[in-house]
Amino acid sequence: MLYDRVVRPALFRADPESAHDAVVGLLSILQRLPVGRRFLSLAAGSEPPDGALLETEVSGLKFPNPVGLAAGFDKDCRLAGILPALGFGFLELGSITLRPQPGNPRPRLFRVVESGAIINRMGFNGDGVFSAAERMKAFGRGSVPVGLNIGLNRDCPQERAPAEYAETFRILEPYGDYFAVNVSSPNTPGLRALQDRLQLERILKAIGDANKTRKPLLVKIDPDMADEHLCDLAALVSSAASGMIVSNTTLSRDGVPEAWAGIQGGLSGQPLAGRSTRLVARVFELTGGRLPIVGVGGIFTGADAYAKIRAGASLVQLYTGLVYGGPGAVNRIRAELAECLKRDGFKNIMEAVGK
Ligand SMILES: Cc1cc2nc3c(=O)[nH]c(=O)nc-3n(C[C@H](O)[C@H](O)[C@H](O)COP(=O)(O)O)c2cc1C
């Protein structure tokens, strides 16, 4: 309520990236204060008493609930200690690149308020892998699983991509519970071409060779590829990785007013929801339900999360829904999701996956 009436209007008056930086700054301060976590938990509203209903296990990892933070909110791994206070069952931090880089020139983040959407062309701005590793080392073990999402520097030639992904992975390996390979951001020229079967095979092989501790490895895909390509990828990922994150942002401008058609970048939020849910269902079908899927795109409510779970996602994530819904978003989604499960007679979230 307070967020809808006061905080969001104030934040939305500011330039989107400045608002984001202010929120990250505030969360960093809270993380350092002894009462910071408690304070944020209060702002996030009461944790729903979902108990065992939402607990799940995927790729050998235990999750207190299936609602996670999507990559891009905390690219530099600054907030791993405080973000679980928002009710998340897991976090995905990054994308992290081998070398620091500034990303694209500003403005590069846009709110499409009338559509519940965001367009971004950040371009993997970040401090690079050594800073991320140092922060994760200082943070230690968290209360929920943490995934680390790996991207690629803009200046990396295609033929060096497998080596650079593997090197970034090697440095981060001790600090992530799972890893996501981002080959689907639309904001690094040539990155999506790495979803080509042969290219991706080389990347997964290089990371696989570096993966001495057998950490789960997920591939994050774009929602704009043709079905034949998806069939190819589903087969490859089933044999060379542990799961798929479906999906990254879209280049489509369906569902946003015409005026936004010319703004470059990836679109997230409500206009992406149906597209990504259909893709989750397709991957589930193609892999016979055997490949773990993380469903992401336009989750604002428990019903949105439930639709992705019924389509075949074992876990879900959100980013844009958090921007629009505020600190209470995750606990609200969890409570609504629990209601959906109870209504349909499921005793645990795992029973509903792909049903
Ligand atoms: C501002 C912004 C930055 C993002 N940065 C990344 C990123 O660095 N790596 C990544 O894999 N996805 C990134 N994403 C994509 C999200 O993780 C997610 O896949 C997408 O936004 C769809 O989910 P949503 O509709 O809940 O936002 C970013 C999204 C936004 C809005």
Side-chain angles (χ1 to χ4, degrees):
M1 258 337 211
L2 184 68
Y3 184 78
D4 289 351
R5 294 236 180 104
V6 182
V7 182
R8 188 177 59 200
L11 283 173
F12 277 26
R13 266 196 294 278
D15 147 74
E17 192 166 346
S18 306
H20 175 80
D21 292 346
V23 169
V24 170
L26 176 65
L27 291 172
S28 308
I29 293 169
L30 289 178
Q31 188 169 244
R32 271 181 258 125
L33 295 177
V35 291
R37 236 191 114 119
R38 181 84 199 102
F39 178 84
L40 192 63
S41 294
L42 286 174
S46 49
E47 288 226 7
D50 38 41
L53 190 61
L54 295 187
E55 280 174 14
T56 188
E57 190 171 334
V58 182
S59 295
L61 295 173
K62 288 194 162 61
F63 297 81
N65 75 73
V67 184
L69 175 71
F73 182 83
D74 184 15
K75 287 181 190 270
D76 284 320
C77 305
R78 293 173 189 277
L79 303 172
I82 190 86
L83 287 170
L86 291 173
F88 287 115
F90 67 109
L91 308 174
E92 190 171 309
L93 310 181
S95 292
I96 301 155
T97 57
L98 187 55
R99 293 171 295 285
Q101 63 176 25
N104 289 320
R106 293 189 188 202
R108 53 191 180 176
L109 183 59
F110 309 86
R111 299 180 200 102
V112 190
V113 178
E114 58 274 47
S115 308
I118 289 176
I119 295 174
N120 94 84
R121 51 166 182 265
M122 304 299 290
F124 292 158
N125 53 308
D127 295 345
V129 72
F130 290 104
S131 302
E134 219 161 88
R135 291 190 188 114
M136 289 306 296
K137 188 174 180 183
F139 161 65
R141 285 221 63 76
S143 54
V144 299
V146 176
L148 298 178
N149 178 309
I150 302 176
L152 197 67
N153 285 107
R154 191 186 173 93
D155 64 3
C156 175
Q158 283 229 337
E159 63 279 8
R160 291 232 354 112
E164 294 212 352
Y165 274 109
E167 178 64 2
T168 312
F169 171 82
R170 199 185 52 73
I171 297 162
L172 293 173
E173 188 188 9
Y175 312 116
D177 295 302
Y178 76 85
F179 287 82
V181 186
N182 181 2
V183 279
S184 48
S185 164
N187 301 315
T188 294
L191 194 82
R192 282 187 171 189
L194 299 176
Q195 292 175 119
D196 167 77
R197 191 189 164 104
L198 278 178
Q199 296 268 20
L200 186 59
E201 209 166 357
R202 285 192 203 111
I203 291 166
L204 295 178
K205 165 92 173 62
I207 300 177
D209 289 347
N211 191 359
K212 304 293 180 224
T213 52
R214 297 273 153 251
K215 294 275 168 83
L217 191 65
L218 281 71
V219 177
K220 186 163 178 179
I221 65 162
D222 83 55
D224 303 322
M225 68 177 70
D227 191 61
E228 291 155 54
H229 189 180
L230 187 65
C231 295
D232 257 12
L233 281 197
L236 171 61
V237 173
S238 295
S239 65
S242 329
M244 219 187 242
I245 305 178
V246 182
S247 70
N248 216 313
T249 54
T250 177
L251 289 171
S252 153
R253 290 295 178 267
D254 292 350
V256 295
E258 187 61 32
W260 294 95
I263 302 291
Q264 267 185 35
L267 175 72
S268 58
Q270 284 171 346
L272 177 61
R275 183 183 282 256
S276 65
T277 302
R278 282 192 296 278
L279 214 56
V280 168
R282 183 69 178 131
V283 173
F284 189 81
E285 177 186 74
L286 286 169
T287 56
R290 284 182 296 273
L291 185 74
I293 301 169
V294 181
V296 49
I299 294 179
F300 278 52
T301 65
D304 299 333
Y306 190 52
K308 284 195 169 42
I309 288 161
R310 295 291 296 256
S314 296
L315 299 166
V316 296
Q317 297 176 326
L318 69 152
Y319 182 159
T320 306
L322 184 66
V323 172
Y324 283 90
V330 180
N331 284 335
R332 230 170 14 243
I333 289 170
R334 279 169 53 183
E336 290 165 5
L337 181 58
E339 281 311 308
C340 293
L341 288 166
K342 279 190 230 155
R343 180 195 66 207
D344 293 345
F346 294 112
K347 300 271 181 296
N348 176 271
I349 187 89
M350 286 183 270
E351 295 172 9
V353 174
K355 297 285 156 45

